[in-house]
Amino acid sequence: MKHKQIISVLLCIALALSLFCSCGKKEKAEKYTDLSWYINFSWFNTDWGNNIVSKAITRKTKCNISFITPTGNPNEKLDSMIASDSLPDLITLGWWEPEISEMINDKKVYALDKLADEYDTYFYNVVNEQVVKWHSRPNGHLYGYPNSACSPSDYEKYDNLASNEAFLVRKDIYEAIGSPDMTTPEGFVKAVEKAAKMFPTIDGNEMIPVGCTEFNDIGCDSFDNYLLDFLAVPYVDKKGNAIDRLKNKDYITWLKAFRKLGGEGLLKDEIFVESRTQKSEKINNGQYFCMIYQYTDLSDQEKNLYKNNPDSIYIAVDGPKNLSGDDYTLPGTSVNGWTVTMISKKCQNPKAAIKLLTYLLSEEGQKMTWLGIQGEMWDYNKDDVPEIKDDVRKLLYTDRKKYNSIYGGDSCYWMMQNDAMASQWIKDDPDNPVTQLKKWSYPYTTYVGQYTIVFDTSTDVGKIKNKAEKKWGDVLPLLLLSKSDREFDKIYNNYMKERYQMGYERVLSALTLKIQENIEKLGLDK
């Protein structure tokens, strides 16, 4: 009997231990929330949980992140998820994308302010009031928060906010051809011709005289938006009425200069079809001679080039100017930002999601994503300024891929980055090969956020604008590859005729009204 009692007691203890262990396992399993996060860019390939910064964020927020990225056309993937009602927990996409309005109108995303009211009112302490006001919908609710958003007041507060646009040349090739003036159409063409003649190949690869951003269904930034900025083409006339920037005569002259290069075979076929990934590979090889580009898009490749051969890097120099030689009007980061992050109503734990965004937007979160862990990756110097540790800094400037895999700082996770706040800690480092590209833009950086407007594509004006842009996406390559200026004029004039037959005057009228509203909304001088 005594043995039975002992066995019974032991069984009870074993059962209790079993229950205790299972509860412990359950608590441990529930300790972290797994959030799926869709990034609407096929080139994004950073993982989560294997580097110092992402591990630290998970410990702090109790959130594990599983990134989802598209293969092929990003918007096809996003549209498919919207249509099938299978959105992940968080979605990050360009602020200009029409899917934003679609998801809001279809009630597929939460209002962030409602989530903040219910779960985390500290959210209001970490957001920018002007940014919130700008991105809030007419109903007063905020459905997405941008990264890299700077309000006009930030430009008064900080003096080192740069434009991302730069005219870049490969340093050794540019110097070998005599560092020529490339600000005029004639000088530009001669420089490209000379570079192509002297360097048909470079470092064992084909030399591509002119590089550019991706061509897409609405054009190519390098040959439209960025070039227009370099030529200081205004957005409005003296009365404040919106201008059709594509009609600018200097712009047409410069397109014809590129057409001349195309006629000589110096606009290579591949630049019209390459993906961003393919372009990045060629930048990494230093294959392009020159390009109007976003310098941050090649910062990793720049560091690789510098490590292998400091003379093979890309440097920013004065490039295309209007025929009057005016200074550039390069857009600084605007209140629109770059991307917008939203929380889907399919999110199983919206409380965890809004708390994660709050942390990432906070000063503590920004220091973590930019600088990393204090003491391990950085520390304050004698002037009380954050300073990256030498070994971390060396790896950051020589092997970004390895840096990301080990450390994961320096805005490796850029989805909620705040450039203005970071400018307090991230100083221009002369040892960083990207610094010259950034500093070159300082004199030309201009706030133009009031002019950057996207219309809902479900509206009549939005449909006209979208149709005109899609047609431009077809026409631009034809202009650049046309066989003569006469053929160019025919294609251009036919497009412009069709553009206004579509009703583009209505778009300009709507833009004028919206610009005036934006100026008042931002408190800017007219």
Side-chain angles (χ1 to χ4, degrees):
M1 186 72 178
K2 189 174 181 181
H3 288 296
K4 288 182 178 179
Q5 287 177 333
I6 292 172
I7 291 170
S8 178
V9 170
L10 290 173
L11 286 172
C12 287
I13 292 172
L15 179 61
L17 286 172
S18 174
L19 289 170
F20 177 80
C21 290
S22 65
C23 287
K25 287 178 181 177
K26 186 177 181 182
E27 286 175 5
K28 189 172 183 181
E30 291 178 350
K31 186 176 180 181
Y32 296 113
T33 299
D34 289 307
L35 293 174
S36 56
W37 195 332
Y38 175 72
I39 309 294
N40 197 43
F41 298 96
S42 56
W43 49 263
F44 182 77
N45 58 8
T46 309
D47 64 2
W48 184 275
N50 293 314
N51 56 42
I52 290 172
V53 166
S54 61
K55 287 178 181 178
I57 294 173
T58 291
R59 287 195 299 271
K60 181 70 181 182
T61 65
K62 305 297 185 291
C63 289
N64 267 319
I65 305 299
S66 174
F67 287 123
I68 302 168
T69 54
T71 55
N73 188 317
N75 290 62
E76 287 182 5
K77 171 74 172 177
L78 181 56
D79 291 342
S80 175
M81 290 191 295
I82 293 172
S84 61
D85 201 22
S86 59
L87 288 168
D89 299 315
L90 298 111
I91 308 107
T92 294
L93 70 167
W95 67 263
W96 59 89
E97 300 289 3
E99 286 84 357
I100 292 174
S101 292
E102 183 181 351
M103 288 186 284
I104 293 171
N105 294 340
D106 291 348
K107 303 187 186 323
K108 292 185 182 293
V109 290
Y110 283 105
L112 299 184
D113 53 296
K114 286 187 176 182
L115 291 181
D117 289 342
E118 186 172 357
Y119 299 120
D120 191 1
T121 55
Y122 191 68
F123 176 81
Y124 297 113
N125 292 46
V126 301
V127 294
N128 180 306
E129 192 173 328
Q130 274 188 308
V131 173
V132 169
K133 184 179 179 181
W134 180 269
H135 284 269
S136 293
R137 293 282 159 157
N139 64 6
H141 292 301
L142 177 72
Y143 293 91
Y145 198 84
N147 73 348
S148 300
C150 291
S151 62
S153 61
D154 287 323
Y155 281 81
E156 298 171 5
K157 191 174 180 181
Y158 306 105
D159 61 1
N160 59 343
L161 296 178
S163 174
N164 202 10
E165 296 175 14
F167 177 66
L168 307 171
V169 293
R170 178 162 160 155
K171 182 177 182 290
D172 50 4
I173 297 178
Y174 182 67
E175 291 174 350
I177 63 172
S179 303
D181 180 354
M182 299 182 70
T183 62
T184 66
E186 298 77 17
F188 188 94
V189 168
K190 286 180 181 178
V192 172
E193 290 172 340
K194 189 171 183 179
K197 185 175 181 179
M198 287 182 64
F199 297 93
T201 61
I202 191 75
D203 299 331
N205 297 304
E206 175 196 25
M207 199 279 280
I208 305 170
V210 178
C212 61
T213 58
E214 275 185 286
F215 277 81
N216 55 41
D217 61 352
I218 61 170
C220 173
D221 283 326
S222 291
F223 292 115
D224 43 49
N225 294 323
Y226 300 170
L227 181 56
L228 289 164
D229 298 334
F230 270 78
L231 303 182
V233 177
Y235 291 84
V236 295
D237 61 22
K238 293 179 180 179
K239 294 182 179 179
N241 296 314
I243 289 173
D244 187 347
R245 299 177 85 204
L246 295 185
K247 293 173 72 173
N248 180 269
K249 292 180 179 179
D250 291 0
Y251 175 61
I252 296 169
T253 298
W254 268 97
L255 282 187
K256 286 183 175 180
F258 284 108
R259 187 218 65 76
K260 184 176 188 301
L261 292 172
E264 296 171 6
L266 299 180
L267 294 185
K268 300 294 185 180
D269 291 343
E270 56 260 45
I271 70 170
F272 295 93
V273 296
E274 289 167 336
S275 66
R276 172 168 164 161
T277 301
Q278 291 170 318
K279 290 178 184 295
S280 294
E281 290 171 356
K282 290 181 178 178
I283 291 170
N284 198 53
N285 295 333
Q287 287 181 252
Y288 301 111
F289 164 54
C290 69
M291 51 189 163
I292 301 177
Y293 212 73
Q294 293 200 108
Y295 76 84
T296 56
D297 288 358
L298 54 75
S299 59
D300 295 352
Q301 296 89 339
E302 180 85 339
K303 291 164 187 173
N304 288 336
L305 290 168
Y306 184 79
K307 179 177 68 173
N308 296 327
N309 176 7
D311 287 330
S312 71
I313 63 171
Y314 287 95
I315 58 172
V317 300
D318 287 358
K321 285 189 173 182
N322 64 34
L323 303 189
S324 299
D326 296 328
D327 282 343
Y328 312 120
T329 54
L330 305 183
T333 304
S334 79
V335 72
N336 286 309
W338 169 31
T339 64
V340 170
T341 294
M342 313 174 87
I343 298 175
S344 160
K345 285 194 175 177
K346 287 294 181 179
C347 182
Q348 295 298 306
N349 195 335
K351 179 179 179 179
I354 190 66
K355 284 183 172 292
L356 173 65
L357 296 192
T358 297
Y359 172 76
L360 293 175
L361 287 167
S362 70
E363 183 168 327
E364 180 185 344
Q366 289 294 308
K367 278 186 176 176
M368 179 63 72
T369 52
W370 282 99
L371 299 170
I373 296 179
Q374 184 179 358
E376 188 170 353
M377 294 171 62
W378 67 278
D379 230 321
Y380 289 103
N381 62 19
K382 62 181 180 180
D383 299 318
D384 205 31
V385 174
E387 194 169 272
I388 302 172
K389 290 185 174 293
D390 287 343
D391 56 336
V392 178
R393 182 168 164 266
K394 182 179 179 181
L395 187 61
L396 173 62
Y397 294 166
T398 57
D399 193 337
R400 180 64 198 235
K401 187 175 181 181
K402 188 175 181 181
Y403 170 88
N404 286 351
S405 67
I406 296 174
Y407 296 109
D410 198 56
S411 203
C412 173
Y413 301 104
W414 43 260
M415 287 67 75
M416 305 307 297
Q417 70 184 12
N418 184 330
D419 298 335
M421 185 186 291
S423 69
Q424 303 171 77
W425 320 309
I426 310 299
K427 302 301 180 182
D428 294 333
D429 189 335
D431 292 335
N432 185 346
V434 179
T435 295
Q436 188 269 337
L437 311 182
K438 179 182 178 184
K439 291 181 72 173
W440 174 87
S441 75
Y442 285 168
Y444 312 118
T445 302
T446 309
Y447 188 85
V448 295
Q450 64 272 35
Y451 305 122
T452 313
I453 296 161
V454 171
F455 293 110
D456 187 334
T457 54
S458 66
T459 65
D460 288 344
V461 168
K463 288 175 182 176
I464 294 169
K465 187 171 184 286
N466 186 52
K467 188 176 179 182
E469 289 175 342
K470 291 284 182 70
K471 184 65 179 178
W472 176 250
D474 296 331
V475 166
L476 179 59
L478 299 177
L479 291 171
L480 295 171
L481 295 174
S482 54
K483 296 176 182 178
S484 65
D485 284 353
R486 185 177 179 181
E487 183 180 332
F488 178 102
D489 289 339
K490 183 179 179 181
I491 295 169
Y492 176 84
N493 291 334
N494 285 341
Y495 168 68
M496 277 298 165
K497 182 179 179 180
E498 186 174 348
R499 184 178 176 89
Y500 284 88
Q501 285 176 341
M502 293 175 188
Y504 203 76
E505 288 286 359
R506 292 181 60 190
V507 174
L508 293 176
S509 296
L511 284 171
T512 298
L513 292 174
K514 190 64 179 172
I515 289 168
Q516 291 170 352
E517 288 176 15
N518 289 347
I519 289 171
E520 292 176 9
K521 196 173 180 180
L522 292 168
L524 300 173
D525 294 330
K526 292 185 179 180

